[in-house]
């Protein structure tokens, strides 16, 4: 596999409220993230509780913008609040 050259890096930190939370929802989020994020150069951390998601995402600007757009339309959570966004 060919290495991608990522030069523009961005991070986004947000919180949201799960619309329904159980281990199946969490496993689905983690499975999808583990499949898609590495090939797009995205890393991150998901902190979760029954009533809160806190996520930190970092990677190429275009990939983060695309992923965050998908997150905004994801029906598994609501009340999304972006806490921080920065480019490096």
């Amino acid at each position: 596999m060919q290495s991608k050259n990522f030069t523009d890096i961005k991070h986004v930190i947000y919180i949201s409220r799960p619309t329904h939370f159980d281990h199946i929802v969490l496993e689905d989020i983690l499975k999808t993230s583990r499949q898609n994020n590495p090939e797009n150069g995205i890393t991150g951390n998901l902190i979760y509780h029954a009533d809160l998601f806190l996520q930190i995402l970092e990677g190429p600007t275009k990939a983060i913008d695309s992923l965050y757009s998908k997150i905004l339309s994801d029906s598994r959570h609501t009340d999304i609040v972006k806490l921080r966004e920065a480019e490096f």
Side-chain angles (χ1 to χ4, degrees), residues 4-33:
K4 293 183 181 178
N5 183 14
F6 301 117
T7 56
D8 59 328
I9 300 295
K10 179 177 191 171
H11 75 246
V12 170
I13 303 170
Y14 73 90
I15 57 172
S16 65
R17 300 220 176 269
T19 53
H20 171 74
F21 186 83
D22 61 24
H23 73 281
I24 295 170
V25 170
L26 182 59
E27 287 174 14
D28 185 50
I29 291 170
L30 293 174
K31 179 183 173 189
T32 302
S33 297

Side-chain angles (χ1 to χ4, degrees), residues 26-68:
L26 182 59
E27 287 174 14
D28 185 50
I29 291 170
L30 293 174
K31 179 183 173 189
T32 302
S33 297
R34 289 175 179 150
Q35 286 175 342
N36 297 331
N37 288 353
E39 68 187 41
N40 292 308
I42 296 172
T43 61
N45 194 356
L46 174 64
I47 299 168
Y48 58 90
H49 191 271
D51 64 349
L52 178 74
F53 288 139
L54 170 78
Q55 188 160 27
I56 302 163
L57 298 167
E58 185 174 80
T61 299
K62 287 182 182 180
I64 294 298
D65 289 344
S66 176
L67 178 57
Y68 190 68

